[in-house]
Coordinates of all heavy atoms in Angstrom, one line a residue:
M1 N 5.7 40.9 12.5 CA 5.2 41.5 13.7 C 6.2 42.3 14.3 O 7.4 41.9 14.5 CB 4.8 40.3 14.7 CG 4.2 40.8 15.9 SD 3.6 39.4 16.8 CE 4.0 39.8 18.4
D2 N 5.9 43.6 14.6 CA 6.9 44.5 15.2 C 6.8 44.5 16.7 O 5.7 44.8 17.3 CB 6.5 45.9 14.6 CG 7.6 46.9 15.1 OD1 8.7 46.5 15.3 OD2 7.2 48.1 15.2
I3 N 7.8 44.1 17.3 CA 7.8 44.1 18.8 C 8.7 45.2 19.4 O 9.1 45.1 20.5 CB 8.3 42.7 19.3 CG1 9.7 42.4 18.9 CG2 7.3 41.6 18.9 CD1 10.3 41.1 19.5
S4 N 9.0 46.2 18.6 CA 9.8 47.3 19.1 C 9.2 48.1 20.3 O 9.9 48.8 21.0 CB 10.1 48.3 17.9 OG 9.0 48.9 17.5
F5 N 7.9 48.0 20.4 CA 7.2 48.7 21.5 C 7.7 48.1 22.9 O 7.5 48.8 23.9 CB 5.7 48.5 21.4 CG 5.2 47.1 21.7 CD1 4.8 46.8 23.0 CD2 5.1 46.2 20.7 CE1 4.3 45.5 23.2 CE2 4.7 44.9 20.9 CZ 4.3 44.5 22.2
L6 N 8.2 46.9 22.9 CA 8.7 46.4 24.2 C 9.9 47.2 24.7 O 10.2 47.1 25.9 CB 9.1 44.9 24.0 CG 8.0 43.9 23.8 CD1 8.5 42.5 23.5 CD2 7.0 43.9 24.9
S7 N 10.6 47.9 23.9 CA 11.8 48.7 24.4 C 11.4 49.7 25.4 O 12.2 50.1 26.2 CB 12.5 49.3 23.2 OG 11.7 50.3 22.6
E8 N 10.1 50.2 25.4 CA 9.7 51.1 26.4 C 9.5 50.5 27.7 O 9.4 51.2 28.7 CB 8.5 51.9 25.9 CG 7.4 51.1 25.4 CD 6.2 51.9 24.8 OE1 5.3 52.2 25.6 OE2 6.2 52.2 23.6
F9 N 9.5 49.2 27.8 CA 9.4 48.5 29.1 C 10.7 48.1 29.7 O 10.8 47.2 30.6 CB 8.5 47.3 29.0 CG 7.0 47.7 28.6 CD1 6.5 47.4 27.4 CD2 6.3 48.3 29.6 CE1 5.2 47.7 27.1 CE2 5.0 48.6 29.3 CZ 4.4 48.4 28.1
M10 N 11.8 48.6 29.1 CA 13.1 48.2 29.6 C 13.8 49.4 30.3 O 13.9 50.5 29.7 CB 14.0 47.6 28.5 CG 15.2 47.0 29.0 SD 16.2 46.1 27.8 CE 15.3 46.1 26.3
M11 N 14.3 49.2 31.5 CA 15.1 50.2 32.2 C 16.5 49.7 32.3 O 16.8 48.7 32.9 CB 14.6 50.4 33.6 CG 13.3 51.1 33.7 SD 12.8 51.5 35.4 CE 14.0 52.8 35.8
P12 N 17.4 50.4 31.6 CA 18.8 50.0 31.6 C 19.5 49.8 32.9 O 20.3 48.9 33.1 CB 19.5 51.1 30.8 CG 18.5 51.7 30.0 CD 17.2 51.6 30.8
V13 N 19.1 50.6 33.9 CA 19.7 50.4 35.2 C 19.3 49.1 35.8 O 20.1 48.4 36.4 CB 19.2 51.6 36.2 CG1 19.6 51.4 37.6 CG2 19.8 52.9 35.7
I14 N 18.0 48.7 35.7 CA 17.6 47.4 36.2 C 18.2 46.3 35.5 O 18.6 45.3 36.1 CB 16.0 47.4 36.2 CG1 15.4 48.4 37.1 CG2 15.5 46.0 36.6 CD1 13.9 48.5 37.1
V15 N 18.3 46.4 34.2 CA 19.0 45.4 33.4 C 20.4 45.2 33.8 O 20.9 44.1 34.0 CB 19.0 45.7 31.8 CG1 19.8 44.7 31.1 CG2 17.6 45.7 31.3
G16 N 21.1 46.3 34.1 CA 22.5 46.2 34.5 C 22.7 45.6 35.9 O 23.5 44.7 36.1
I17 N 21.8 46.0 36.8 CA 21.9 45.4 38.2 C 21.6 43.9 38.1 O 22.3 43.1 38.7 CB 21.0 46.1 39.1 CG1 21.5 47.6 39.4 CG2 20.8 45.4 40.5 CD1 20.5 48.5 40.1
C18 N 20.5 43.5 37.4 CA 20.2 42.1 37.3 C 21.2 41.3 36.6 O 21.5 40.2 37.0 CB 18.8 42.0 36.6 SG 17.4 42.6 37.6
L19 N 21.8 41.9 35.6 CA 22.9 41.2 34.9 C 24.1 40.9 35.8 O 24.6 39.8 35.9 CB 23.4 42.1 33.7 CG 24.5 41.5 32.9 CD1 24.1 40.2 32.2 CD2 25.0 42.5 31.8
C20 N 24.5 41.9 36.6 CA 25.6 41.7 37.6 C 25.2 40.7 38.7 O 26.0 39.8 39.0 CB 26.0 43.0 38.2 SG 26.7 44.2 37.0
V21 N 24.0 40.8 39.2 CA 23.6 39.8 40.3 C 23.5 38.4 39.7 O 24.0 37.5 40.3 CB 22.3 40.3 40.9 CG1 21.7 39.2 41.8 CG2 22.5 41.5 41.7
G22 N 23.0 38.3 38.5 CA 22.9 37.0 37.9 C 24.3 36.4 37.6 O 24.5 35.2 37.8
Y23 N 25.2 37.2 37.2 CA 26.6 36.8 36.9 C 27.2 36.3 38.2 O 27.9 35.2 38.3 CB 27.4 37.9 36.3 CG 28.8 37.5 36.0 CD1 29.1 36.7 34.9 CD2 29.8 37.8 36.8 CE1 30.4 36.4 34.6 CE2 31.1 37.5 36.6 CZ 31.4 36.7 35.4 OH 32.7 36.3 35.2
V24 N 27.1 37.1 39.3 CA 27.6 36.7 40.6 C 27.0 35.4 41.1 O 27.8 34.5 41.5 CB 27.4 37.8 41.6 CG1 27.7 37.3 43.0 CG2 28.3 39.0 41.3
I25 N 25.7 35.2 40.9 CA 25.1 33.9 41.3 C 25.6 32.8 40.5 O 26.0 31.7 41.1 CB 23.6 34.0 41.2 CG1 23.0 35.0 42.3 CG2 22.9 32.7 41.4 CD1 21.5 35.3 42.1
K26 N 25.8 33.0 39.2 CA 26.2 31.9 38.3 C 27.7 31.5 38.7 O 28.0 30.3 38.7 CB 26.1 32.3 36.9 CG 26.5 31.3 35.9 CD 26.2 31.7 34.5 CE 26.5 30.7 33.5 NZ 25.6 29.5 33.5
K27 N 28.5 32.5 38.9 CA 29.9 32.2 39.1 C 30.3 31.8 40.5 O 31.3 31.0 40.7 CB 30.8 33.4 38.7 CG 30.7 33.6 37.2 CD 31.3 32.5 36.4 CE 31.1 32.8 34.9 NZ 31.6 31.7 34.1
W28 N 29.7 32.3 41.5 CA 30.2 32.1 42.9 C 29.2 31.4 43.8 O 29.6 31.0 44.9 CB 30.6 33.5 43.5 CG 31.8 34.0 42.9 CD1 33.1 33.4 42.9 CD2 32.0 35.2 42.1 NE1 34.0 34.1 42.2 CE2 33.4 35.2 41.7 CE3 31.2 36.2 41.7 CZ2 33.9 36.3 41.0 CZ3 31.7 37.2 41.0 CH2 33.0 37.3 40.6
V29 N 28.0 31.3 43.5 CA 27.0 30.6 44.4 C 26.7 29.2 43.7 O 25.9 29.1 42.8 CB 25.7 31.4 44.6 CG1 24.8 30.7 45.5 CG2 26.1 32.8 45.1
K30 N 27.5 28.2 44.1 CA 27.4 26.9 43.5 C 26.1 26.1 43.9 O 25.7 25.2 43.2 CB 28.6 26.1 43.8 CG 29.9 26.7 43.3 CD 29.9 26.8 41.8 CE 31.2 27.4 41.4 NZ 31.2 27.8 40.0
D31 N 25.4 26.5 45.0 CA 24.2 25.8 45.4 C 23.0 26.1 44.6 O 22.0 25.5 44.7 CB 24.0 26.1 46.9 CG 25.0 25.6 47.8 OD1 25.7 24.6 47.4 OD2 25.2 26.1 48.9
V32 N 23.1 27.2 43.8 CA 21.9 27.6 43.0 C 22.0 27.0 41.6 O 23.0 27.2 40.9 CB 21.8 29.2 42.9 CG1 20.7 29.6 42.0 CG2 21.7 29.8 44.3
D33 N 21.0 26.3 41.2 CA 21.0 25.7 39.8 C 20.8 26.8 38.8 O 20.0 27.8 39.0 CB 19.9 24.7 39.8 CG 19.9 23.8 38.5 OD1 20.9 23.9 37.8 OD2 19.0 23.0 38.3
N34 N 21.4 26.7 37.6 CA 21.3 27.7 36.6 C 19.9 28.0 36.1 O 19.5 29.1 35.7 CB 22.1 27.3 35.4 CG 23.6 27.5 35.6 OD1 24.0 28.2 36.6 ND2 24.4 26.9 34.8
K35 N 19.0 27.0 36.3 CA 17.6 27.2 35.8 C 16.8 28.2 36.7 O 15.8 28.7 36.2 CB 16.9 25.8 35.7 CG 16.6 25.2 37.1 CD 15.9 23.9 36.9 CE 15.6 23.2 38.2 NZ 15.0 21.9 38.0
Y36 N 17.3 28.5 37.8 CA 16.6 29.4 38.7 C 17.1 30.9 38.5 O 16.5 31.8 39.0 CB 16.8 29.0 40.2 CG 16.2 27.7 40.5 CD1 17.0 26.7 41.0 CD2 14.9 27.5 40.3 CE1 16.5 25.4 41.3 CE2 14.3 26.2 40.6 CZ 15.1 25.2 41.1 OH 14.6 24.0 41.4
I37 N 18.2 31.1 37.8 CA 18.7 32.4 37.7 C 17.8 33.4 36.9 O 17.6 34.5 37.4 CB 20.1 32.4 37.0 CG1 21.1 31.7 38.0 CG2 20.6 33.8 36.7 CD1 22.5 31.5 37.4
P38 N 17.1 33.0 35.8 CA 16.1 33.9 35.2 C 15.0 34.3 36.2 O 14.5 35.4 36.2 CB 15.5 33.1 34.0 CG 16.6 32.1 33.7 CD 17.3 31.8 35.0
T39 N 14.5 33.3 37.0 CA 13.5 33.7 38.0 C 14.0 34.6 39.0 O 13.3 35.6 39.4 CB 13.0 32.4 38.7 OG1 12.5 31.5 37.7 CG2 11.8 32.7 39.6
I40 N 15.2 34.4 39.5 CA 15.8 35.3 40.5 C 15.9 36.7 39.9 O 15.6 37.7 40.5 CB 17.1 34.8 41.0 CG1 16.9 33.5 41.8 CG2 17.9 35.9 41.8 CD1 18.2 32.8 42.1
C41 N 16.4 36.8 38.6 CA 16.5 38.1 38.0 C 15.2 38.8 37.7 O 15.1 40.0 37.9 CB 17.3 37.9 36.6 SG 19.0 37.6 36.8
A42 N 14.2 38.0 37.4 CA 12.8 38.6 37.2 C 12.3 39.2 38.5 O 11.7 40.3 38.5 CB 11.9 37.6 36.6
V43 N 12.4 38.4 39.6 CA 11.9 38.9 40.9 C 12.7 40.1 41.4 O 12.1 41.1 41.9 CB 12.0 37.7 41.9 CG1 11.7 38.2 43.3 CG2 11.0 36.6 41.5
L44 N 14.0 40.1 41.2 CA 14.9 41.2 41.6 C 14.5 42.4 40.7 O 14.4 43.5 41.2 CB 16.3 40.9 41.4 CG 17.3 42.0 41.6 CD1 17.2 42.5 43.1 CD2 18.7 41.6 41.3
G45 N 14.2 42.2 39.4 CA 13.8 43.3 38.6 C 12.5 43.9 39.0 O 12.3 45.2 39.0
V46 N 11.5 43.1 39.4 CA 10.3 43.6 39.9 C 10.5 44.4 41.2 O 9.9 45.5 41.4 CB 9.2 42.5 40.1 CG1 8.0 43.0 40.9 CG2 8.8 41.9 38.8
A47 N 11.3 43.9 42.1 CA 11.6 44.6 43.4 C 12.2 46.0 43.1 O 11.8 47.0 43.7 CB 12.5 43.7 44.3
L48 N 13.2 46.0 42.2 CA 13.9 47.3 41.9 C 12.9 48.2 41.2 O 12.9 49.4 41.5 CB 15.1 47.0 41.0 CG 16.2 46.3 41.6 CD1 17.3 45.9 40.6 CD2 16.9 47.2 42.7
S49 N 12.1 47.7 40.3 CA 11.1 48.6 39.6 C 10.1 49.2 40.6 O 9.7 50.3 40.5 CB 10.4 47.8 38.5 OG 9.5 48.6 37.8
V50 N 9.6 48.3 41.5 CA 8.7 48.8 42.5 C 9.3 49.9 43.3 O 8.7 50.9 43.7 CB 8.1 47.7 43.3 CG1 7.4 48.2 44.6 CG2 7.2 46.8 42.5
W51 N 10.6 49.7 43.7 CA 11.3 50.7 44.5 C 11.5 52.0 43.7 O 11.3 53.1 44.3 CB 12.7 50.1 44.9 CG 13.5 51.0 45.7 CD1 13.2 51.6 46.8 CD2 14.9 51.4 45.4 NE1 14.3 52.3 47.3 CE2 15.3 52.2 46.4 CE3 15.8 51.1 44.4 CZ2 16.6 52.8 46.5 CZ3 17.0 51.6 44.4 CH2 17.4 52.4 45.4
V52 N 11.8 51.9 42.4 CA 12.0 53.1 41.6 C 10.6 53.9 41.4 O 10.6 55.1 41.5 CB 12.5 52.8 40.2 CG1 12.5 53.9 39.3 CG2 14.0 52.3 40.4
H53 N 9.5 53.1 41.2 CA 8.2 53.7 41.0 C 7.4 54.0 42.3 O 6.3 54.5 42.1 CB 7.4 52.9 40.0 CG 8.0 52.8 38.7 ND1 8.8 51.8 38.2 CD2 7.8 53.7 37.6 CE1 9.1 52.0 37.0 NE2 8.6 53.2 36.6
W54 N 8.0 53.7 43.4 CA 7.2 53.9 44.7 C 6.8 55.4 44.8 O 7.6 56.2 44.5 CB 8.1 53.5 45.8 CG 7.4 53.4 47.1 CD1 7.3 54.3 48.1 CD2 6.5 52.3 47.5 NE1 6.5 53.9 49.1 CE2 6.0 52.6 48.8 CE3 6.2 51.1 46.9 CZ2 5.2 51.8 49.5 CZ3 5.3 50.3 47.6 CH2 4.8 50.6 48.9
P55 N 5.6 55.7 45.3 CA 4.6 54.9 45.8 C 3.5 54.5 44.7 O 2.5 53.9 45.0 CB 3.9 55.7 46.9 CG 4.1 57.1 46.4 CD 5.4 57.1 45.6
A56 N 3.8 54.9 43.5 CA 2.8 54.7 42.4 C 3.1 53.3 41.7 O 3.4 53.2 40.5 CB 2.9 55.8 41.3
V57 N 2.9 52.2 42.5 CA 3.1 50.9 41.9 C 1.9 50.6 41.0 O 0.8 50.7 41.4 CB 3.3 49.9 43.1 CG1 3.4 48.5 42.5 CG2 4.4 50.3 44.0
S58 N 2.3 50.1 39.8 CA 1.2 49.8 38.9 C 1.6 48.5 38.1 O 2.8 48.0 38.2 CB 1.1 50.9 37.9 OG 2.3 51.0 37.1
P59 N 0.7 47.9 37.4 CA 1.0 46.8 36.6 C 2.2 47.1 35.6 O 3.0 46.2 35.3 CB -0.3 46.4 35.9 CG -1.3 46.9 36.7 CD -0.8 48.2 37.4
E60 N 2.2 48.3 35.1 CA 3.3 48.7 34.2 C 4.7 48.6 34.9 O 5.6 48.2 34.3 CB 3.0 50.1 33.7 CG 4.1 50.6 32.7 CD 3.8 51.9 32.1 OE1 2.6 52.2 31.7 OE2 4.7 52.7 32.1
A61 N 4.7 49.0 36.2 CA 6.0 49.0 36.9 C 6.4 47.5 37.1 O 7.6 47.2 37.0 CB 5.8 49.7 38.3
I62 N 5.5 46.6 37.3 CA 5.8 45.2 37.5 C 6.3 44.7 36.2 O 7.2 43.9 36.1 CB 4.5 44.5 38.0 CG1 4.2 45.0 39.5 CG2 4.8 43.0 38.0 CD1 2.9 44.5 40.0
L63 N 5.6 45.0 35.1 CA 6.0 44.5 33.8 C 7.4 45.1 33.4 O 8.3 44.3 32.9 CB 5.0 45.0 32.7 CG 5.4 44.6 31.2 CD1 5.5 43.0 31.1 CD2 4.4 45.1 30.3
I64 N 7.7 46.3 33.7 CA 9.0 46.9 33.5 C 10.1 46.1 34.2 O 11.2 45.7 33.7 CB 9.1 48.4 33.9 CG1 8.3 49.2 32.9 CG2 10.5 48.9 34.0 CD1 8.1 50.6 33.3
G65 N 9.8 45.7 35.5 CA 10.8 45.0 36.3 C 11.0 43.6 35.7 O 12.1 43.1 35.6
M66 N 9.9 42.9 35.4 CA 10.0 41.5 34.9 C 10.8 41.5 33.5 O 11.6 40.7 33.3 CB 8.7 40.9 34.7 CG 8.0 40.5 36.0 SD 6.4 39.8 35.8 CE 6.9 38.1 35.3
F67 N 10.4 42.4 32.7 CA 11.0 42.5 31.3 C 12.5 42.8 31.4 O 13.3 42.2 30.8 CB 10.3 43.5 30.5 CG 10.7 43.5 29.0 CD1 10.2 42.5 28.2 CD2 11.5 44.4 28.5 CE1 10.6 42.4 26.9 CE2 11.9 44.4 27.2 CZ 11.5 43.4 26.4
S68 N 12.8 43.8 32.3 CA 14.2 44.1 32.5 C 15.0 43.0 33.1 O 16.2 42.8 32.6 CB 14.3 45.4 33.3 OG 13.7 46.5 32.7
G69 N 14.5 42.3 34.1 CA 15.2 41.2 34.7 C 15.4 40.1 33.7 O 16.5 39.5 33.7
L70 N 14.4 39.7 33.0 CA 14.6 38.7 32.0 C 15.5 39.1 30.8 O 16.2 38.3 30.2 CB 13.2 38.2 31.5 CG 12.4 37.5 32.6 CD1 11.0 37.2 32.1 CD2 13.0 36.2 33.1
A71 N 15.4 40.4 30.4 CA 16.3 40.9 29.4 C 17.8 40.7 29.8 O 18.6 40.5 28.9 CB 16.0 42.3 29.1
S72 N 18.0 40.9 31.1 CA 19.4 40.7 31.5 C 19.9 39.3 31.3 O 21.1 39.1 30.9 CB 19.6 41.1 33.0 OG 19.0 40.2 33.8
T73 N 19.0 38.3 31.5 CA 19.4 36.9 31.3 C 19.6 36.7 29.8 O 20.6 36.0 29.4 CB 18.3 36.0 31.8 OG1 18.0 36.3 33.1 CG2 18.7 34.6 31.7
G74 N 18.8 37.3 28.9 CA 19.0 37.1 27.5 C 20.2 37.8 27.0 O 20.9 37.3 26.1
L75 N 20.5 39.0 27.6 CA 21.8 39.7 27.2 C 23.0 38.9 27.6 O 23.9 38.8 26.8 CB 21.8 41.0 27.9 CG 23.0 41.9 27.7 CD1 23.2 42.3 26.2 CD2 23.0 43.1 28.6
H76 N 23.0 38.2 28.8 CA 24.1 37.4 29.2 C 24.3 36.2 28.2 O 25.4 35.9 27.8 CB 23.9 36.9 30.6 CG 24.9 35.9 31.0 ND1 24.9 34.6 30.9 CD2 26.1 36.2 31.6 CE1 26.0 34.0 31.3 NE2 26.8 34.9 31.8
Q77 N 23.2 35.6 27.8 CA 23.3 34.5 26.9 C 23.8 34.9 25.5 O 24.6 34.2 24.9 CB 21.9 33.8 26.8 CG 21.5 33.0 28.0 CD 22.5 31.9 28.3 OE1 22.9 31.1 27.5 NE2 23.0 31.9 29.5
A78 N 23.3 36.1 25.1 CA 23.8 36.6 23.8 C 25.3 36.9 23.8 O 26.0 36.5 22.8 CB 23.0 37.8 23.4
V79 N 25.7 37.5 24.8 CA 27.2 37.8 24.9 C 28.0 36.6 25.0 O 29.0 36.4 24.4 CB 27.4 38.8 26.1 CG1 28.9 39.0 26.4 CG2 26.8 40.2 25.8
T80 N 27.5 35.6 25.8 CA 28.2 34.4 26.0 C 28.3 33.6 24.7 O 29.4 33.1 24.4 CB 27.5 33.5 27.0 OG1 27.4 34.2 28.3 CG2 28.2 32.2 27.3
K81 N 27.3 33.6 23.9 CA 27.3 32.9 22.6 C 28.2 33.6 21.6 O 28.8 33.0 20.8 CB 25.9 32.7 22.1 CG 25.0 31.8 22.9 CD 25.6 30.4 23.1 CE 24.7 29.6 24.0 NZ 25.3 28.4 24.4
W82 N 28.2 34.9 21.7 CA 28.9 35.7 20.8 C 30.4 35.5 20.9 O 31.2 35.4 20.0 CB 28.6 37.2 20.9 CG 29.3 38.1 20.0 CD1 30.5 38.7 20.2 CD2 28.9 38.5 18.7 NE1 30.9 39.5 19.1 CE2 29.9 39.3 18.2 CE3 27.8 38.2 17.9 CZ2 29.8 39.9 16.9 CZ3 27.7 38.7 16.7 CH2 28.7 39.6 16.2
F83 N 30.9 35.5 22.2 CA 32.3 35.4 22.5 C 32.8 33.9 22.7 O 34.0 33.7 23.0 CB 32.7 36.2 23.7 CG 32.6 37.7 23.4 CD1 31.6 38.5 23.9 CD2 33.5 38.3 22.5 CE1 31.5 39.8 23.6 CE2 33.4 39.6 22.2 CZ 32.4 40.4 22.7
E84 N 31.9 33.0 22.6 CA 32.2 31.6 22.8 C 33.1 31.1 21.7 O 32.8 31.4 20.5 CB 31.0 30.7 22.9 CG 31.2 29.3 23.3 CD 29.8 28.6 23.4 OE1 29.3 28.2 22.4 OE2 29.3 28.6 24.5
P85 N 34.2 30.4 22.0 CA 35.1 30.0 20.9 C 34.3 29.0 20.0 O 33.6 28.1 20.5 CB 36.3 29.3 21.6 CG 36.0 29.4 23.0 CD 34.7 30.1 23.3
K86 N 34.5 29.2 18.7 CA 33.9 28.3 17.7 C 34.7 27.0 17.7 O 35.9 27.0 17.6 CB 33.9 28.9 16.3 CG 33.3 30.3 16.3 CD 31.8 30.2 16.5 CE 31.2 31.6 16.3 NZ 30.5 32.1 17.4
S87 N 33.9 25.9 17.7 CA 34.6 24.6 17.6 C 34.6 23.9 16.3 O 34.0 24.3 15.4 CB 34.1 23.6 18.6 OG 32.7 23.5 18.5

C-alpha cells in the first residue's frame, strides 16, 4: 500500500512549530503528562492551519493541521530513538 499521497497534507512550517512547542512542553512544563503532547500538537496544528488558510477553512485545512501536528510528534520520537544510546 502506497501512502506517499499523505506527504501533500504536511506543511513543514506547522511541523516545525509543533515540534518546538511539544519539546518545550515536554522539557519545561512538568504538570503536563506526556500522553497529552500529541493531542496538544494536533490541536495547535489545526489552529495554525486554519490561520494560514483563512478565510477558506476547509476539511483539507483541518487535515493538514492534524497531520502536521501529529507528524511533529512522530518526528520527535524518531529522532529520540535514533540518537538514544544503545544499551
Side-chain angles (χ1 to χ4, degrees):
M1 184 171 139
D2 185 28
I3 60 171
S4 62
F5 70 94
L6 290 175
S7 65
E8 46 185 270
F9 294 110
M10 192 173 351
M11 287 186 71
V13 172
I14 295 176
V15 173
I17 292 171
C18 290
L19 180 65
C20 292
V21 170
Y23 181 80
V24 167
I25 291 171
K26 183 173 183 68
K27 294 296 179 183
W28 288 298
V29 182
K30 299 298 180 191
D31 294 336
V32 177
D33 193 6
N34 285 343
K35 68 181 179 182
Y36 297 119
I37 294 175
T39 304
I40 292 169
C41 287
V43 171
L44 177 61
V46 168
L48 290 170
S49 181
V50 165
W51 180 52
V52 168
H53 290 96
W54 190 261
V57 178
S58 65
E60 183 176 314
I62 294 170
L63 179 61
I64 288 170
M66 290 179 76
F67 189 77
S68 297
L70 292 173
S72 72
T73 306
L75 178 63
H76 176 269
Q77 288 300 307
V79 170
T80 301
K81 296 300 178 192
W82 181 268
F83 290 109
E84 189 175 82
K86 306 290 187 237
S87 53

